[in-house]
Amino acid sequence: MNSFGKLFRISIFGESHGPVVGCVIDGCPAGVSLSEEDMLYDLSKRKSGAKGTTPRQEDDIPEILTGVFDGKTTGAPITIQFRNNNTKSKDYTQFIDMPRPGHADFVAQRKYNGMSDPRGGGHFSGRLTLAIVAAGVVAKKLMPAVSVKAELTTLGGQTNIEEALDKAIKAGDSIGGTIECKVDGLSVGLGEPFFDSVESVISHGVFSIPGIKGIEFGNGFKVAELTGSKNNDLIVDADGHTSTNNCGGVNGGITNGNQLFFKVAVKPTASISLPQMTFNFEKGKIEELRIEGRHDLAFALRVPVVIEAMTAIVLADLVSVNKK
Amino acid sequence: MNSFGKLFRISIFGESHGPVVGCVIDGCPAGVSLSEEDMLYDLSKRKSGAKGTTPRQEDDIPEILTGVFDGKTTGAPITIQFRNNNTKSKDYTQFIDMPRPGHADFVAQRKYNGMSDPRGGGHFSGRLTLAIVAAGVVAKKLMPAVSVKAELTTLGGQTNIEEALDKAIKAGDSIGGTIECKVDGLSVGLGEPFFDSVESVISHGVFSIPGIKGIEFGNGFKVAELTGSKNNDLIVDADGHTSTNNCGGVNGGITNGNQLFFKVAVKPTASISLPQMTFNFEKGKIEELRIEGRHDLAFALRVPVVIEAMTAIVLADLVSVNKK
Amino acid sequence: MNSFGKLFRISIFGESHGPVVGCVIDGCPAGVSLSEEDMLYDLSKRKSGAKGTTPRQEDDIPEILTGVFDGKTTGAPITIQFRNNNTKSKDYTQFIDMPRPGHADFVAQRKYNGMSDPRGGGHFSGRLTLAIVAAGVVAKKLMPAVSVKAELTTLGGQTNIEEALDKAIKAGDSIGGTIECKVDGLSVGLGEPFFDSVESVISHGVFSIPGIKGIEFGNGFKVAELTGSKNNDLIVDADGHTSTNNCGGVNGGITNGNQLFFKVAVKPTASISLPQMTFNFEKGKIEELRIEGRHDLAFALRVPVVIEAMTAIVLADLVSVNKK
Amino acid sequence: MNSFGKLFRISIFGESHGPVVGCVIDGCPAGVSLSEEDMLYDLSKRKSGAKGTTPRQEDDIPEILTGVFDGKTTGAPITIQFRNNNTKSKDYTQFIDMPRPGHADFVAQRKYNGMSDPRGGGHFSGRLTLAIVAAGVVAKKLMPAVSVKAELTTLGGQTNIEEALDKAIKAGDSIGGTIECKVDGLSVGLGEPFFDSVESVISHGVFSIPGIKGIEFGNGFKVAELTGSKNNDLIVDADGHTSTNNCGGVNGGITNGNQLFFKVAVKPTASISLPQMTFNFEKGKIEELRIEGRHDLAFALRVPVVIEAMTAIVLADLVSVNKK
């Protein structure tokens, strides 16, 4: 389904080449100052146009349609919409016969009995993350003492982002990357021992973002190689601060007051300009496919602010539940 | 909270040293044959007693109290309970003053205002995974054509499990490991594009298991170093089979009919027999702590069947929702 | 919160005098033909303008913004919006100081710390039922074999609706009414024994409609005066048809294949042109209030199609869940 | 499904003639003093044995199995169980062929494909309300300033309960009744404008109780005959107190600080000793049925405390959500 959260809850809607994408935010308390301007900075960080991103340029202008009165949230659902202007829906029907490798074309076709909107990925499009970024701005406002920062740390396997990009452009092939997210200022006690552990709900949110294939908290996969004496974090003061942060700020599923730290892997853009083989469902045989159109070479570049937004959304909900 | 799932839904309860641990399973269809015996094999795979596991030996005898009549599920909630017999609750109160490194002692204390049951980890105990394994047996029965297999692939950073164990025993220090899970026989179309992507719900479930610190699907973190032309899986037939399975069987959040594949990282047991430093909250200073008692040296050994169970629970729910 | 349903799920948003009201429908299967035209008939039944209804005239033109492609639902969320055109927001701030009797002015003020949109009732407005009617059209389409019919049976305590209206107009005072809803074509087995009994979920939905103060199924309150031998419905054939329908088509919380029948009570419009006393919060004393503006004399006239819509929404969800 | 609530959440399980009935309560804060003794008074009010109730006598002894340590709730799920001792499951299979009028026999048979436990009504039994009463005790403890009182006001259509009972006993026929519930001490602001209006969630809970066929708030069905000037409640002071309470303490779906008041209709017990006709599914024709066994003549007598419990459960959840 397309909703997420228990008390601070977002629902997203829209298609890449339909009239709008947007979200409804339910459970936002009354009295939070909120305007379209508040969203522009985060939205700009998701924008395309820079080297390595798609040349499709959208205005990405948010419109707050409901839930705000006199510049303040009212407690009623907040609807935020973005119009799609720069759409070019020439020939996506070809991907019904010849599904693009790495894309959702095939599964969408099957899941929705051939009825899903194929234009620009339809509802599967990364464009929906626009709504997530907007909702993330609201979530961040609910936690003024909390800082959520995500950053691209490697691209194409190297830490020199610029160089990796140039290499990819030259090769005409897409590349992936890794993103680190650090959250400071969380109180002790968010999350639950089992099904709503902090790792559970953060990962639930983060894997909702198209193209994420891995997540690890604290030492992550490295823990598998460590001994307990090396991996345990020693508590050093009455606030629960620890000498190391191998656990990434979470014990027993619950925030321990240290920095929440996790890392995610973003796959290379599935759409590439190089020719690829795929199955032609009409002809019943494997054929070469060439994907035209405008695509990100490394959409990982645009994902950090989406990770931030999703993290803030999850945390705002955990904070709401924790107040009970 | 302690419930999970939309239509096939489990709730777990109990404490390590209380009278019982168990679960209620709601949404199981009527007419599934189910007995305590059905659970014994999976429960045995989680059992302690082998080299590297805790010497605390429990009978782990499941009792089906409700929801089954004449050997078949009735459609009413299924309650399964395990009595705790072999409990030794000598002196857990010390961990209130001196929280064990890597444990939930500190966060539990804070989150529940000092009221949580400290004996054997209370409700935070890995013993609760007993209930998850039992529920997993029911989930597996709902998908007879699906095979869910998890296996420990590395321990203490090496693939020779036996050798790693011996080394750890000698060092008196705990070790972590990695587990791979492979699911065959899934139909195309499970999962949703965003918030209920297969990766989202699987990871939500898997991070509910104590001690998991990372998860990756298909190529996982390796995708961050790959190009699109290498990472994309090429469809080769009308069923959607692909030449490679770099995506781990999921496109756009939805199963594509290939093997669902993911890998998780399990941390070393937090309780170790070596002395560790921690903060003494009563005295207000750092002191040495020695943890007595019976503990796993490598609880990763017992986790694979728990991963299987949780995966089956998540998938049974996705299958139920997909029938709508 | 502003969402409802498990698998067929609607979220509503908007304010009476804001730019839009609308809904997002999640969980609608792909392939259902749907257009704005499909909604016009039901929307017309909710329209104002007739005798006894408010002179505020709105176009009530639905716009389907997402989830429909080439005239068919795609399986993605369906967003339907209505622009508010004919708004006159002169002076609603007076109701902050002097809350209108029978209205939500006072509770809204308190619940949202004075931040709720006061114009035309804001998010509390009956105008939100426009979105419910639109969603109801979609729900009805999902159950082509099911007929949901609601009808005003009494107004101001009498069955002659016309006469009651004339009397009310003459008195310048508002009146309430009763509505009966009959659903034919339901299969046996919808609903659950306890918390999701058919009566539970129908009443949950129906009491979401502003102004409903009572609901009864089958014989309703009359059962309190009957003996079991009179109230029991006798099964007369292998399909479970009964000689009488005193239970309103529900046994043990579950549809029995006979007509689902219930009755609701609608209160008189709270806004009346007669002077009323209320507390003046600024002055700290009771004063006379006169409510200007455009209001329904008997909004019960416009409620039947809203009852139909809500009933269809609930049933479409029960049908979805039952397919599991 | 068999769970209810958002943050304060109960799940019920068990069958009338199985080993246990009980509930799991999730979301109860830590630190609430709780013992089995606390439950005995409310449980005694539900007990059978008095005139007009079933001669089946059960001990109804609650056992708190989890979630309480040293006499206080721990924040973990609370499991409460009752063993069924006095069960006589002679011949319930006859009701599969010949469903009892007014019972769930037929729908249970159909919904669960003949697999539901038929003994004593199985999971459909009113015995499950034992678990609701126990959970209600916990809910009441969470709201020490709130008083929830329900009382049988009519039986068999008359206010003289004793006389009505004698008449029914003489006639050998069951009778129904009405119950009024009054809640004092609620703060202003519980509930939501639409889908989680106080009336919505209370009625959802109340119709979960077997045998309830109607509910009305405040003036209830009488509003349909009133004018606005008569039905509106006039606010008389700065706390929002009103001169009358025709709305039953709820405006716009939200508590207004006055007494929450509602009334429900309880049907006569379906099981009667008089002979009744029903369809014999084996023989394919209508035949006479005689119901042996032990039954309430007027189970309405035992329902008030169940109404109280369910109301407290709903309100405890609303209070939890409202703290967000």
Side-chain angles (χ1 to χ4, degrees):
Chain A
M1 312 282 280
N2 294 278
S3 293
F4 190 54
K6 274 193 160 60
L7 293 184
F8 179 79
R9 186 170 180 87
I10 79 160
S11 304
I12 58 173
F13 54 80
E15 288 85 22
S16 180
H17 290 197
V20 301
V21 298
C23 63
V24 180
I25 303 167
D26 203 0
C28 180
V32 180
S33 82
L34 186 70
S35 71
E36 281 90 351
E37 286 68 37
D38 295 338
M39 301 176 186
L40 299 184
Y41 178 67
D42 275 12
L43 290 170
S44 76
K45 291 201 284 175
R46 188 197 156 279
K47 262 220 151 99
S48 60
K51 184 156 74 170
T53 64
T54 173
R56 172 180 174 183
Q57 295 241 23
E58 281 283 2
D59 292 339
D60 293 349
I61 297 171
E63 294 175 67
I64 302 175
L65 293 179
T66 72
V68 173
F69 179 63
D70 272 356
K72 296 250 163 80
T73 60
T74 62
I78 301 165
T79 310
I80 306 167
Q81 276 185 14
F82 298 84
R83 287 166 210 264
N84 297 322
N85 297 313
N86 191 355
T87 57
K88 296 189 186 167
S89 311
K90 279 184 271 186
D91 191 14
Y92 278 96
T93 51
Q94 58 163 313
F95 303 138
I96 296 172
D97 287 342
M98 296 188 68
R100 289 167 295 176
H103 268 280
D105 296 341
F106 169 71
V107 295
Q109 189 68 7
R110 284 291 184 89
K111 184 177 180 74
Y112 302 112
N113 302 318
M115 295 296 168
S116 70
D117 181 347
R119 301 167 303 160
H123 182 61
F124 283 82
S125 168
R127 188 153 173 76
L128 272 283
T129 59
L130 203 53
I132 292 170
V133 172
V137 169
V138 180
K140 287 174 180 176
K141 287 210 154 202
L142 297 185
M143 307 177 293
V146 173
S147 144
V148 183
K149 292 291 165 209
E151 165 181 36
L152 187 73
T153 46
T154 71
L155 193 67
Q158 53 186 117
T159 51
N160 185 340
I161 309 295
E162 197 68 21
E163 195 180 299
L165 261 183
D166 290 335
K167 220 165 81 183
I169 290 167
K170 207 168 148 192
D173 208 349
S174 63
I175 46 175
T178 52
I179 292 168
E180 289 182 6
C181 185
K182 296 171 179 172
V183 186
D184 291 294
L186 290 174
S187 57
V188 181
L190 301 179
E192 304 285 333
F194 289 92
F195 300 119
D196 292 335
S197 79
V198 170
E199 295 107 327
S200 284
V201 287
I202 293 273
S203 66
H204 191 139
V206 163
F207 278 119
S208 305
I209 302 167
I212 307 296
K213 297 305 284 187
I215 189 168
E216 52 181 16
F217 292 83
N219 271 350
F221 277 89
K222 223 169 66 187
V223 295
E225 305 170 18
L226 293 179
T227 59
S229 63
K230 294 249 171 54
N231 190 54
N232 284 345
D233 301 305
L234 310 182
I235 299 177
V236 296
D237 67 22
D239 293 327
H241 288 118
T242 52
S243 56
T244 51
N245 190 16
N246 297 325
C247 71
V250 189
N251 290 121
I254 294 170
T255 53
N256 67 12
N258 292 276
Q259 183 181 71
L260 172 65
F261 174 75
F262 63 90
K263 202 169 148 182
V264 302
V266 188
K267 73 173 198 177
T269 314
S271 288
I272 55 177
S273 53
L274 299 175
Q276 299 173 95
M277 305 307 288
T278 193
F279 194 75
N280 185 321
F281 280 75
E282 206 191 15
K283 298 192 189 159
K285 60 172 187 167
I286 298 174
E287 277 193 346
E288 192 181 279
L289 172 77
R290 280 177 177 277
I291 304 175
E292 313 285 328
R294 307 164 299 173
H295 302 285
D296 289 293
L297 195 68
F299 78 94
L301 292 162
R302 302 168 66 192
V303 172
V305 72
V306 185
I307 297 282
E308 281 184 15
M310 189 60 86
T311 303
I313 290 165
V314 169
L315 292 171
D317 192 36
L318 285 180
V319 167
S320 295
V321 170
N322 206 48
K323 278 189 191 145
K324 72 165 190 280
Chain B
M1 314 282 282
N2 294 277
S3 294
F4 189 54
K6 275 194 160 60
L7 294 185
F8 179 79
R9 186 170 179 87
I10 79 161
S11 303
I12 59 173
F13 53 81
E15 287 85 23
S16 181
H17 291 197
V20 302
V21 298
C23 63
V24 179
I25 304 166
D26 204 0
C28 180
V32 180
S33 81
L34 187 69
S35 70
E36 282 89 351
E37 287 67 37
D38 295 338
M39 301 175 186
L40 300 184
Y41 177 67
D42 275 12
L43 290 170
S44 76
K45 292 202 284 175
R46 188 197 156 279
K47 263 223 152 96
S48 60
K51 185 155 74 169
T53 64
T54 174
R56 172 181 174 183
Q57 294 242 22
E58 281 284 1
D59 292 337
D60 292 350
I61 297 171
E63 293 175 68
I64 302 175
L65 293 179
T66 72
V68 173
F69 179 64
D70 273 355
K72 297 248 163 80
T73 59
T74 63
I78 300 166
T79 310
I80 305 168
Q81 276 185 16
F82 299 84
R83 286 166 212 264
N84 298 321
N85 296 313
N86 191 354
T87 56
K88 298 188 185 168
S89 311
K90 280 183 271 186
D91 190 13
Y92 276 97
T93 50
Q94 59 165 311
F95 304 139
I96 295 172
D97 286 343
M98 296 189 67
R100 290 167 294 176
H103 268 282
D105 296 342
F106 169 71
V107 295
Q109 190 68 8
R110 285 291 184 89
K111 184 176 180 74
Y112 302 111
N113 301 318
M115 295 295 168
S116 70
D117 180 348
R119 302 167 302 160
H123 181 61
F124 283 83
S125 169
R127 188 154 172 76
L128 272 283
T129 59
L130 203 52
I132 292 169
V133 172
V137 169
V138 181
K140 287 174 180 176
K141 286 209 155 203
L142 297 185
M143 307 178 292
V146 173
S147 145
V148 183
K149 293 290 164 210
E151 163 180 40
L152 187 74
T153 45
T154 71
L155 192 68
Q158 52 186 116
T159 53
N160 186 338
I161 309 296
E162 197 68 21
E163 195 180 299
L165 261 182
D166 290 336
K167 219 165 82 183
I169 289 168
K170 206 169 151 194
D173 207 349
S174 63
I175 45 174
T178 53
I179 292 168
E180 289 182 5
C181 186
K182 296 172 180 172
V183 187
D184 291 293
L186 290 174
S187 57
V188 181
L190 301 178
E192 303 286 332
F194 288 92
F195 300 119
D196 291 336
S197 79
V198 170
E199 295 107 327
S200 285
V201 287
I202 292 272
S203 65
H204 190 140
V206 163
F207 278 119
S208 306
I209 302 168
I212 307 295
K213 297 304 284 187
I215 190 168
E216 53 181 16
F217 292 83
N219 272 349
F221 277 90
K222 224 170 65 188
V223 297
E225 304 170 18
L226 293 179
T227 59
S229 64
K230 293 249 170 54
N231 190 53
N232 284 344
D233 300 304
L234 310 183
I235 299 177
V236 296
D237 66 23
D239 293 328
H241 289 118
T242 52
S243 55
T244 51
N245 189 16
N246 297 324
C247 71
V250 190
N251 290 122
I254 294 169
T255 54
N256 67 12
N258 293 275
Q259 183 181 70
L260 173 65
F261 174 75
F262 64 89
K263 202 169 149 182
V264 302
V266 187
K267 74 173 197 177
T269 313
S271 286
I272 56 177
S273 52
L274 300 174
Q276 299 174 95
M277 305 307 287
T278 192
F279 194 75
N280 186 320
F281 280 74
E282 205 190 17
K283 299 192 188 161
K285 60 170 186 170
I286 297 174
E287 277 193 346
E288 192 182 279
L289 172 77
R290 281 178 178 276
I291 303 176
E292 312 286 328
R294 307 164 299 175
H295 302 286
D296 289 292
L297 194 69
F299 78 95
L301 292 162
R302 301 168 67 192
V303 172
V305 71
V306 185
I307 297 282
E308 281 184 16
M310 190 59 88
T311 303
I313 290 165
V314 170
L315 291 172
D317 192 36
L318 284 180
V319 167
S320 296
V321 170
N322 205 47
K323 278 189 191 143
K324 71 166 191 277
Chain C
M1 312 283 279
N2 295 278
S3 294
F4 189 56
K6 274 194 161 60
L7 294 184
F8 179 80
R9 186 169 179 87
I10 79 161
S11 303
I12 59 173
F13 54 81
E15 288 85 22
S16 180
H17 292 198
V20 302
V21 298
C23 63
V24 180
I25 303 167
D26 204 359
C28 180
V32 180
S33 82
L34 187 69
S35 71
E36 281 90 351
E37 286 68 38
D38 295 338
M39 301 174 186
L40 300 184
Y41 177 67
D42 275 12
L43 289 169
S44 76
K45 292 201 283 174
R46 187 196 156 280
K47 263 223 151 99
S48 59
K51 184 156 76 172
T53 65
T54 172
R56 173 181 174 183
Q57 295 245 19
E58 281 284 2
D59 291 339
D60 293 350
I61 297 172
E63 293 175 67
I64 301 176
L65 292 179
T66 72
V68 173
F69 179 62
D70 273 354
K72 296 249 163 79
T73 60
T74 63
I78 301 165
T79 311
I80 305 168
Q81 276 185 16
F82 298 83
R83 288 166 210 265
N84 298 320
N85 296 313
N86 191 355
T87 57
K88 296 189 185 168
S89 312
K90 280 183 272 184
D91 189 15
Y92 278 96
T93 51
Q94 59 164 311
F95 303 137
I96 296 172
D97 288 342
M98 295 187 68
R100 290 167 294 176
H103 268 280
D105 296 341
F106 168 71
V107 295
Q109 189 68 8
R110 284 291 185 89
K111 183 175 181 74
Y112 302 112
N113 302 317
M115 294 296 168
S116 69
D117 180 348
R119 302 167 301 161
H123 181 61
F124 283 83
S125 168
R127 186 151 173 78
L128 272 283
T129 59
L130 203 52
I132 291 170
V133 172
V137 169
V138 180
K140 288 174 179 176
K141 286 209 154 203
L142 298 184
M143 306 177 293
V146 173
S147 145
V148 183
K149 293 290 165 211
E151 165 181 37
L152 187 74
T153 44
T154 70
L155 192 67
Q158 53 186 117
T159 52
N160 185 339
I161 310 296
E162 197 68 23
E163 194 179 302
L165 261 182
D166 290 336
K167 219 164 86 182
I169 290 168
K170 206 166 151 194
D173 207 349
S174 64
I175 45 174
T178 54
I179 292 168
E180 289 182 5
C181 184
K182 296 171 179 171
V183 186
D184 291 293
L186 290 174
S187 57
V188 181
L190 302 178
E192 303 286 332
F194 289 93
F195 300 121
D196 291 336
S197 77
V198 170
E199 295 106 326
S200 284
V201 287
I202 292 271
S203 65
H204 191 140
V206 162
F207 278 119
S208 305
I209 303 168
I212 307 296
K213 297 305 283 187
I215 189 168
E216 53 180 16
F217 292 83
N219 271 351
F221 277 90
K222 224 171 65 186
V223 295
E225 305 170 18
L226 292 179
T227 59
S229 63
K230 293 250 170 56
N231 190 53
N232 285 344
D233 301 304
L234 310 182
I235 300 178
V236 295
D237 66 23
D239 294 327
H241 288 117
T242 52
S243 55
T244 50
N245 189 17
N246 296 325
C247 71
V250 190
N251 290 121
I254 294 170
T255 53
N256 67 12
N258 292 275
Q259 184 181 70
L260 172 65
F261 174 75
F262 64 89
K263 201 167 149 183
V264 302
V266 187
K267 73 173 196 177
T269 313
S271 287
I272 55 177
S273 52
L274 301 174
Q276 297 174 96
M277 304 307 287
T278 191
F279 194 75
N280 186 321
F281 279 74
E282 206 190 17
K283 300 192 189 161
K285 60 171 187 169
I286 297 173
E287 277 193 345
E288 191 182 280
L289 173 77
R290 280 177 178 276
I291 304 175
E292 312 286 326
R294 307 164 298 173
H295 301 286
D296 288 293
L297 194 70
F299 78 94
L301 292 162
R302 301 169 66 192
V303 172
V305 72
V306 185
I307 296 283
E308 281 184 14
M310 189 60 87
T311 303
I313 290 165
V314 170
L315 291 172
D317 192 36
L318 285 180
V319 167
S320 295
V321 169
N322 205 48
K323 279 188 191 146
K324 71 163 192 282
Chain D
M1 312 283 281
N2 294 278
S3 294
F4 189 55
K6 275 195 160 61
L7 294 184
F8 179 80
R9 185 169 180 87
I10 79 161
S11 303
I12 58 172
F13 53 81
E15 288 85 22
S16 181
H17 291 198
V20 302
V21 299
C23 63
V24 180
I25 304 167
D26 204 359
C28 178
V32 179
S33 81
L34 187 68
S35 70
E36 282 90 350
E37 286 67 38
D38 295 339
M39 302 175 186
L40 299 184
Y41 177 68
D42 276 11
L43 290 170
S44 76
K45 292 202 282 174
R46 188 198 156 278
K47 263 221 150 100
S48 59
K51 184 156 75 172
T53 65
T54 172
R56 172 180 174 184
Q57 294 243 19
E58 282 283 2
D59 291 339
D60 293 349
I61 297 172
E63 293 175 67
I64 302 175
L65 294 179
T66 73
V68 173
F69 179 63
D70 273 355
K72 295 249 164 80
T73 60
T74 63
I78 301 165
T79 311
I80 305 167
Q81 276 184 16
F82 299 83
R83 288 166 211 265
N84 297 320
N85 297 312
N86 190 356
T87 56
K88 297 189 186 169
S89 311
K90 280 182 271 186
D91 189 15
Y92 277 97
T93 50
Q94 58 164 311
F95 304 139
I96 296 172
D97 287 342
M98 294 189 68
R100 290 167 295 176
H103 268 281
D105 297 341
F106 169 72
V107 295
Q109 189 68 7
R110 286 290 185 89
K111 183 175 181 73
Y112 302 112
N113 302 317
M115 295 295 168
S116 70
D117 180 348
R119 300 167 303 159
H123 181 61
F124 283 83
S125 167
R127 187 151 173 77
L128 272 283
T129 59
L130 203 51
I132 291 169
V133 171
V137 169
V138 180
K140 287 174 179 176
K141 286 208 154 203
L142 297 184
M143 307 177 293
V146 173
S147 144
V148 182
K149 294 289 165 211
E151 164 181 38
L152 187 73
T153 44
T154 71
L155 192 68
Q158 51 187 117
T159 53
N160 185 340
I161 309 295
E162 198 68 22
E163 194 181 300
L165 262 181
D166 290 335
K167 219 166 85 183
I169 290 168
K170 206 168 150 193
D173 207 350
S174 64
I175 45 175
T178 53
I179 292 168
E180 289 183 5
C181 185
K182 295 171 179 172
V183 186
D184 291 293
L186 291 174
S187 57
V188 181
L190 302 177
E192 303 287 332
F194 288 92
F195 300 120
D196 292 335
S197 78
V198 170
E199 294 106 326
S200 285
V201 287
I202 293 272
S203 66
H204 190 140
V206 163
F207 278 119
S208 305
I209 302 168
I212 307 296
K213 297 305 283 186
I215 190 168
E216 53 181 14
F217 292 83
N219 271 349
F221 277 89
K222 224 171 65 187
V223 295
E225 305 169 18
L226 293 179
T227 60
S229 63
K230 294 248 171 55
N231 190 53
N232 285 344
D233 300 305
L234 310 184
I235 300 177
V236 296
D237 66 24
D239 293 327
H241 287 117
T242 51
S243 55
T244 51
N245 189 17
N246 297 324
C247 70
V250 190
N251 290 121
I254 294 169
T255 53
N256 66 14
N258 292 274
Q259 183 182 70
L260 173 65
F261 174 75
F262 64 88
K263 202 169 149 183
V264 303
V266 187
K267 74 173 196 176
T269 314
S271 288
I272 55 176
S273 52
L274 299 174
Q276 298 174 95
M277 305 307 288
T278 191
F279 194 75
N280 186 319
F281 280 74
E282 206 191 15
K283 299 193 189 158
K285 61 172 187 167
I286 298 173
E287 278 192 346
E288 191 181 279
L289 173 78
R290 278 175 180 278
I291 303 175
E292 312 286 327
R294 306 165 300 174
H295 301 285
D296 288 293
L297 194 70
F299 77 96
L301 291 162
R302 301 169 66 194
V303 172
V305 73
V306 185
I307 296 282
E308 281 183 16
M310 189 60 87
T311 303
I313 290 165
V314 170
L315 291 171
D317 192 37
L318 285 180
V319 167
S320 295
V321 169
N322 206 47
K323 278 188 190 144
K324 70 163 192 282

